[in-house]
Amino acid sequence: MPKIKTHRGAAKRFKKTGTGKIKRMRAFTSHMLNCKNAKRARRLRTATLVDSTQIKTIKRMLNI
């Protein structure tokens, strides 16, 4: 059997934590930040965990 290739788009967007969870960055941070309030812009800069319904799919793409 050939090796399974990693989905390169997913590899750039998701990281695995030490405990095996999947970390991601938030959306809506690329432009038009002047109309978002400061509290929202700060919150969008922080990373968060992937929802439990998507973990199986992302782990398959990352070959974890």
Side-chain angles (χ1 to χ4, degrees):
M1 287 296 288
K3 291 182 179 180
I4 304 297
K5 289 189 177 183
T6 300
H7 189 290
R8 299 313 297 167
K12 294 169 188 174
R13 288 170 172 82
F14 303 104
K15 299 286 181 254
K16 189 178 127 182
T17 64
T19 56
K21 296 174 183 174
I22 307 293
K23 189 170 70 165
R24 67 169 177 88
M25 291 306 289
R26 295 176 187 268
F28 308 109
T29 60
S30 59
H31 60 89
M32 288 177 59
L33 291 171
N34 58 344
C35 63
K36 297 175 176 95
N37 59 33
K39 181 179 178 181
R40 181 179 174 193
R42 274 196 309 275
R43 192 180 71 244
L44 291 173
R45 282 199 299 264
T46 63
T48 185
L49 296 176
V50 171
D51 190 67
S52 61
T53 59
Q54 300 294 315
I55 288 177
K56 184 178 175 183
T57 306
I58 292 167
K59 281 188 173 181
R60 191 181 303 132
M61 287 193 285
L62 298 176
N63 300 325
I64 296 175

